[in-house]
Amino acid sequence: MNELNYQLDLLKAMNQKLTEKERMYAKVCESVMDAFLYYSHEKNYIATLGPWKDYFDFEIKDVKDFSRLFDIVDEQYVLPLREVLYLEKTGEDMSSTECQLKERKNWLQFRTKVYYDGSGHPTDKVVSVSDITKFREQNEELTYLAYYDELTGLYNRNYFVRFLGEYVRNASETNNIVSVMIIDMDDFHKINDGLGIVVGDELVQQFAGFLKELCGENVIACHLHTDVFCLAIYAPTENMCAESIYKAIQKRIKEPFKISSGPELRFTVSVGVAEYPEAASTALELINCAEIVVFKSKDMGKNNIQYFNLHARNDFFNAIELENKLKKAVSNQNFVLYYQPQYFAGNRKLRGVEALIRWEDEESHLISPATFIPVAEKNGSIISIGKWVVEESIRQYAAWRKQFGFPFILSINISALQYKRDDFVDSILSVLNKHQVSPSEVELEITESVLIDDFQSVYEKLKVLRDCGIRISLDDFGTGFSSLSYLKKLPIDTLKIDKSFIDTVLTDSATRVITESIINMVKSLGFDSIAEGVENEKQYKYLHSIGCDVIQGYLFNKPLPAEEMASVLSTEG
Ligand code: C2E
Ligand code: MG
Ligand code: MG
């Protein structure tokens, strides 16, 4: 009896333990996200566990019920799912498959683990089911971002460089060419700044959409940054090469791009092309070479295509060297001013002098302003250089004025960037004041380029300067858009006819007609006319005969260092 009681207690205790364990496993199964399918090979018994009901609205009680699962997944996944569910052997790892549901479109992952007895026969199998939709979406997004540019849908820079590397490798094995084209939208910042980045982005997207249409088996495109795109063409042919693509782009951009918020926008592009194997032998170097010639195409007035060659490379590196040297020269003020006299055509008396800058390099060579002023205008150092010119020329003028006792006109060349500064007018007036020079003895030379960018604000400044008595002269007339009709609107006192007219005025009848009409027009508007670059007596006589007021040129003097200019001044008076 005691033995029976003991066995009973033992059973009770074991039963309680089992109930507790069952409860524990049930709770664990409930708390997990995965649903499970348990299959006992030995007893041919199937049970579902965990949140099965959250996944499926049917139960699986028998192997035959697997077909319910096959019914709800997309057809292409039925076979792999069947394999995973009926699996009798798995290795160390679980076997798994991913299926998409037909209706809900969710992605489910089925993972199977088979257990064996000592002799290798399968005993049990557990299939776990997890919803991996979110994970797949994140993964897809990451994969997309790894290859594509989010804004345009073109390849991104990294992937493009890898792809271009493949092109180059193939080309080296098959003796082929790879063209790399950089396409840079001109003046994009004006659209972005003026109409906002939403409009800017849409324009970039639309243009990218057009470039995508040009892509194909041997052409790939990427969005390098902001408004810059890069295309690579493997084994270019006559019909599909940098030139044909450029033509297609030119044709497209003749038509406006319609922005959804209303505006219709047009733009031009500057394009640089470099080719493997001529320019470089790696993807990145090819892109760099194409970039070098894009700069050149911008320098040449934008809206054109330039091809990389050794000249372009040398020009580029020389320009960088020049720029670095110029930065040093600006901080050390290694500049000198030369002065070129201007004479009245009638009596050959001195009218004034034009201050012309030279850069004295480390070997005391004089570098022409034609070489470094454009660089200084591009990198902004023209502001400090210009300040120095104003200060030094006015100081020198004041000294001569004191020494020789008579007034003449000091002409100073001023760049567009200088006019744009808010403090420009005040800074000129304060230097005049400091050296006690009358504003009426100073003439500022501007070129038409000053007016193109920002006519209204430059116009206002010129008016203020003139109201203070300073003279304004329009330099290099005839080289810009030079419309005679707009001359009337300008607050100027003097017009300088460019040397290119003077060079051919005696030999070319068309130039003669234009020069005469310029001088007549200038007279009727009450300005002075100055002929620049007069080199011989014949030119002088002719210019005098048609009424030109002032002559400047090698015929009288080249630009002179200050001491030599002083000896010229000592003979005047
Ligand atoms: P520019 O203002 O039109 O100056 C006239 C240029 O023609 C000067 O060249 C002068 O030396 C040259 N020239 C004058 N007469 C003759 C001639 O009979 N024959 C020939 N072959 N040339 C003649 P330069 O001094 O080399 O200056 C070139 C340009 O650099 C100037 O053209 C001006 O645009 C710019 N520049 C010079 N100094 C300054 C400056 O201080 N500031 C700014 N912003 N630009 C300057
Ligand atoms: Mg000048
Ligand atoms: Mg000039």
Side-chain angles (χ1 to χ4, degrees):
M1 193 60 190
N2 274 352
E3 175 63 21
L4 207 61
N5 279 343
Y6 168 73
Q7 290 289 347
L8 208 63
D9 286 348
L10 199 65
L11 271 173
K12 265 188 196 165
M14 279 169 69
N15 202 13
Q16 196 179 343
K17 252 194 170 166
L18 273 175
T19 315
E20 276 167 16
K21 269 201 171 164
E22 197 182 330
R23 199 176 119 81
M24 180 179 81
Y25 288 124
K27 288 288 167 215
V28 169
C29 282
E30 265 171 41
S31 68
V32 292
M33 307 287 280
D34 291 4
F36 296 94
L37 196 85
Y38 170 77
Y39 174 63
S40 163
H41 278 267
E42 287 164 335
K43 302 199 177 104
N44 199 16
Y45 159 76
I46 290 188
T48 58
L49 300 96
W52 183 268
K53 286 200 179 79
D54 294 348
Y55 279 81
F56 310 104
D57 55 7
F58 52 83
E59 271 294 331
I60 304 252
K61 296 208 164 102
D62 188 277
V63 176
K64 275 189 235 138
D65 296 336
F66 283 169
S67 64
R68 304 287 304 267
L69 287 169
F70 303 144
D71 287 344
I72 60 163
V73 301
D74 257 0
E75 212 169 307
Q76 55 186 309
Y77 304 112
V78 171
L79 209 62
L81 179 60
R82 181 185 289 276
E83 272 174 19
V84 165
L85 292 180
Y86 285 109
L87 207 70
E88 303 238 318
K89 234 183 185 167
T90 46
E92 285 278 294
D93 298 322
M94 293 187 186
S95 292
S96 73
T97 187
E98 293 175 5
C99 319
Q100 192 172 26
L101 298 185
K102 261 191 233 162
E103 274 166 28
R104 273 190 290 155
K105 296 291 170 206
N106 278 30
W107 281 91
L108 299 184
Q109 184 185 45
F110 290 83
R111 286 181 298 169
T112 300
K113 176 84 185 157
V114 181
Y115 298 88
Y116 310 92
D117 63 12
S119 48
H121 295 297
T123 54
D124 316 80
K125 176 155 64 185
V126 175
V127 177
S128 62
V129 188
S130 14
D131 190 325
I132 52 161
T133 314
K134 267 218 173 86
F135 174 75
R136 276 191 70 116
E137 277 170 3
Q138 282 166 354
N139 237 5
E140 267 169 24
E141 202 174 314
L142 282 177
T143 315
Y144 184 84
L145 290 178
Y147 297 112
Y148 296 96
D149 168 61
E150 224 183 336
L151 179 70
T152 60
L154 294 176
Y155 286 139
N156 66 28
R157 189 190 176 112
N158 283 346
Y159 189 64
F160 178 85
V161 171
R162 266 171 53 194
F163 214 134
L164 177 57
E166 289 290 315
Y167 271 8
V168 169
R169 259 188 299 283
N170 288 346
S172 79
E173 282 161 17
T174 53
N175 259 342
N176 260 312
I177 288 174
V178 180
S179 291
V180 174
M181 248 180 130
I182 290 193
I183 300 150
D184 188 328
M185 295 162 73
D186 293 330
D187 298 320
F188 177 72
H189 67 101
K190 286 187 187 163
I191 292 171
N192 237 10
D193 297 348
L195 301 171
I197 55 168
V198 175
V199 171
D201 279 355
E202 193 179 332
L203 185 64
V204 165
Q205 282 168 332
Q206 287 196 22
F207 185 51
F210 168 73
L211 293 179
K212 207 182 222 165
E213 286 169 21
L214 299 174
C215 294
E217 203 187 339
N218 284 337
V219 183
I220 51 170
C222 87
H223 182 215
L224 268 189
H225 55 87
T226 340
D227 55 340
V228 185
F229 300 88
C230 193
L231 254 75
I233 309 150
Y234 181 77
T237 60
E238 205 180 323
N239 292 331
M240 186 48 82
C241 58
E243 207 174 317
S244 67
I245 287 182
Y246 181 63
K247 275 191 187 141
I249 295 173
Q250 288 296 101
K251 193 170 161 211
R252 171 62 189 90
I253 61 180
K254 275 203 181 93
E255 301 302 319
F257 287 77
K258 293 189 178 77
I259 302 297
S260 51
S261 57
E264 294 200 346
L265 302 175
R266 284 172 206 274
F267 60 91
T268 58
V269 293
S270 298
V271 177
V273 181
E275 282 190 341
Y276 170 84
E278 191 210 357
S281 54
T282 70
L284 281 176
E285 279 171 2
L286 281 166
I287 294 173
N288 278 345
C289 293
E291 246 166 358
I292 286 175
V293 277
V294 168
F295 294 138
K296 189 173 166 198
S297 129
K298 293 263 179 204
D299 273 352
M300 295 182 72
K302 305 168 189 168
N303 191 20
N304 69 88
I305 183 167
Q306 292 296 320
Y307 293 85
F308 183 88
N309 54 32
L310 277 183
H311 269 305
R313 184 200 294 271
N314 290 344
D315 287 352
F316 178 75
F317 287 112
N318 288 344
I320 290 183
E321 199 186 332
L322 183 78
E323 190 161 348
N324 286 335
K325 283 187 177 167
L326 182 61
K327 275 187 195 146
K328 239 193 199 162
V330 171
S331 67
N332 298 337
Q333 300 202 329
N334 296 133
F335 300 105
V336 283
L337 284 181
Y338 274 45
Y339 298 87
Q340 188 176 33
Q342 303 165 335
Y343 295 93
F344 289 112
N347 57 12
R348 296 196 183 210
K349 284 252 166 226
L350 185 83
R351 181 251 188 194
V353 299
E354 177 176 4
L356 293 159
I357 193 172
R358 274 93 185 90
W359 162 15
E360 201 169 7
D361 75 3
E362 278 151 1
E363 289 93 39
S364 294
H365 296 134
L366 290 184
I367 301 172
S368 152
T371 308
F372 69 87
I373 292 286
V375 180
E377 283 176 335
K378 216 181 290 163
N379 71 15
S381 55
I382 190 68
I383 298 294
S384 350
I385 297 176
K387 253 193 189 142
W388 178 85
V389 171
V390 168
E391 171 72 40
E392 173 56 17
S393 59
I394 292 177
R395 184 205 62 76
Q396 179 64 77
Y397 176 80
W400 283 334
R401 183 79 173 76
K402 212 166 165 191
Q403 186 181 352
F404 300 107
F406 59 87
F408 52 98
I409 288 169
L410 169 69
S411 291
I412 309 171
N413 291 287
I414 307 285
S415 284
L417 268 188
Q418 292 173 267
Y419 281 99
K420 284 194 181 143
R421 304 278 294 200
D422 289 337
D423 62 353
F424 176 67
V425 174
D426 287 343
S427 71
I428 296 271
L429 293 176
S430 84
V431 180
L432 289 175
N433 193 36
K434 177 175 159 194
H435 295 286
Q436 292 295 297
V437 169
S438 158
S440 63
E441 287 158 33
V442 169
E443 185 165 74
L444 302 182
E445 294 195 6
I446 60 167
T447 55
E448 284 163 304
S449 62
V450 173
L451 302 156
I452 289 170
D453 253 7
D454 195 0
F455 184 89
Q456 202 50 37
S457 90
V458 173
Y459 178 87
E460 304 291 336
K461 283 184 186 151
L462 295 183
K463 274 184 71 176
V464 176
L465 287 164
R466 281 187 89 221
D467 288 346
C468 299
I470 292 174
R471 301 171 62 91
I472 305 293
S473 162
L474 186 61
D475 202 358
D476 301 340
F477 188 78
T479 57
F481 56 86
S482 307
S483 133
L484 286 177
S485 60
Y486 91 120
L487 276 183
K488 279 186 276 200
K489 299 186 204 137
L490 288 179
I492 59 168
D493 304 271
T494 309
L495 184 136
K496 298 185 79 171
I497 304 164
D498 192 66
K499 179 176 179 297
S500 55
F501 280 81
I502 312 306
D503 284 344
T504 54
V505 79
L506 295 179
T507 50
D508 180 56
S509 58
T511 310
R512 208 158 42 232
V513 172
I514 298 171
T515 310
E516 286 180 18
S517 60
I518 293 173
I519 288 175
N520 288 335
M521 179 83 170
V522 166
K523 265 202 185 333
S524 69
L525 291 169
F527 310 152
D528 288 346
S529 53
I530 301 184
E532 290 193 284
V534 179
E535 292 184 340
N536 58 54
E537 202 61 37
K538 266 193 180 160
Q539 289 168 336
Y540 159 62
K541 285 209 170 107
Y542 168 72
L543 289 161
H544 179 38
S545 75
I546 61 169
C548 180
D549 301 306
V550 179
I551 305 291
Q552 178 179 347
Y554 290 0
L555 169 65
F556 294 108
N557 295 99
K558 287 193 167 178
L560 305 168
E563 316 81 65
E564 286 179 42
M565 186 63 224
S567 22
V568 171
L569 289 170
S570 65
T571 63
E572 293 281 336

